[in-house]
Amino acid sequence: MRLSVHHITRFEFDQPSGHSIHDVRLTPKPATGQRVVTWRIDGPGKRSEWIDGHGNQVATFSVATQHDAVEIAVAGVYEFSGADQWLRYGDAPTLPAPFWLRNTGLARHDPSFDRLIEGLAERAGETTKRVEVLHELMKRVCRRIAYKTGVSTVDTTAAEALARSAGVAQDQAHVFIAACRRLGVPARYVSGYLRNDDPHLHVGRTSHSWAEAWVPGLEWVGFDPANDMSPRGDSLRVAVGLDYRDAAPVSGRRVGFGDAKMSVEASVRLMD
């Protein structure tokens, strides 16, 4: 299976800026059986590469001249061969599992999650039953949070999505992560790519989002609540974090006045 990625993120400013900086977390972390054939990230100005505290590869573009727009372009091809039940990664964990229990940010949990996780706590504490419990939780989240565009923003919290019972993949991932942490299971947010040429999948015209939970002996195991499935060979991870803000594909700041408008268009298509 081979897939092509074309991803454009564009920022437009209604007043010129004298300096802007944009951090891009869109460098793939292929799993066993996945291979990045080609990959290119283009952006304006001076470029620097670094690793953030969560182990993500970051490309930072800094523009120090007058400008009224910034465009970040990603183009690449990746492929997968194999039939593992879950995506396995060979990289050593950057942070210990308990770090991912932090009750913070967009994936913060509170008592409103207790009904969602009812009856799961005891089994979640048993290593041999954890995967089974997490699949049940994923199914509950998929049923509780209807996939619906236009009802949330990138700043919507897990609690807000739970109360609304609707949202997109980002919201469903946040709810799943918050519920895991309330069960005492370390969990983290994943941003990446999944083919969006399949009408049976809930994937927008942007990058995709899912979650990973820690299972002793298996380490990080992926769960895609938007599609009620385990991430597959066409699910390409690019960044992880406590929530969306930590793993945002592109984030920026600038010197100047006025408003900024961001538009995103991504195409992930099967090639053969």
Side-chain angles (χ1 to χ4, degrees):
M1 178 186 290
R2 179 172 286 198
L3 300 106
S4 65
V5 176
H6 297 279
H7 181 182
I8 301 292
T9 303
R10 183 173 176 82
F11 296 87
E12 296 179 343
F13 314 134
D14 59 8
Q15 295 186 37
S17 171
H19 191 191
S20 70
I21 299 174
H22 290 83
D23 296 327
V24 181
R25 290 172 172 83
L26 287 171
T27 300
K29 295 183 175 183
T32 300
Q34 291 179 325
R35 184 173 77 94
V36 176
V37 180
T38 63
W39 201 265
R40 179 167 177 166
I41 302 174
D42 292 314
K46 181 181 178 181
R47 177 174 180 160
S48 60
E49 302 274 348
W50 51 287
I51 305 294
D52 70 14
H54 301 113
N56 302 312
Q57 179 75 36
V58 187
T60 295
F61 295 92
S62 178
V63 182
T65 57
Q66 287 283 103
H67 58 289
D68 56 13
V70 168
E71 185 173 284
I72 308 294
V74 176
V77 174
Y78 66 99
E79 62 183 16
F80 174 75
S81 60
D84 277 349
Q85 292 181 332
W86 70 92
L87 296 180
R88 308 182 189 205
Y89 298 89
D91 52 328
T94 305
L95 296 162
F99 171 84
W100 303 98
L101 286 169
R102 293 180 61 188
N103 188 21
T104 185
L106 298 175
R108 178 180 292 275
H109 59 80
D110 59 31
S112 67
F113 286 82
D114 290 343
R115 185 175 179 183
L116 182 66
I117 63 173
E118 186 177 0
L120 300 180
E122 184 175 344
R123 286 185 293 144
E126 299 181 37
T127 301
T128 58
K129 296 182 179 179
R130 181 167 292 183
V131 171
E132 174 189 335
V133 168
L134 293 172
H135 276 285
E136 183 175 338
L137 175 61
M138 177 172 64
K139 189 171 294 292
R140 290 186 184 186
V141 172
C142 184
R143 289 174 176 169
R144 174 67 185 271
I145 311 297
Y147 186 89
K148 187 176 183 180
T149 59
V151 299
S152 60
T153 71
V154 294
D155 296 316
T156 297
T157 67
E160 290 169 342
L162 184 65
R164 187 179 291 119
S165 296
V168 292
Q170 173 183 315
D171 305 303
Q172 291 162 311
H174 280 149
V175 171
F176 179 85
I177 292 164
C180 284
R181 292 175 183 165
R182 194 155 185 85
L183 285 168
V185 176
R188 63 189 188 182
Y189 185 94
V190 180
S191 64
Y193 292 106
L194 175 64
R195 58 182 299 191
N196 56 13
D197 62 346
D198 184 343
H200 298 101
L201 294 175
H202 287 142
V203 187
R205 300 299 299 177
T206 63
S207 56
H208 192 49
S209 310
W210 60 94
E212 290 177 344
W214 182 263
V215 178
L218 301 179
E219 300 190 355
W220 291 109
V221 178
F223 297 88
D224 184 345
N227 295 293
D228 191 20
M229 70 179 191
S230 299
R232 316 172 303 189
D234 51 355
S235 302
L236 184 66
R237 189 175 80 178
V238 296
V240 299
L242 287 163
D243 60 11
Y244 167 81
R245 290 171 180 161
D246 286 343
V250 182
S251 59
R253 54 267 190 212
R254 64 189 171 96
V255 176
F257 298 96
D259 295 325
K261 177 184 177 182
M262 183 179 77
S263 59
V264 181
E265 182 71 17
S267 170
V268 185
R269 306 183 70 85
L270 184 66
M271 296 178 66
D272 52 29

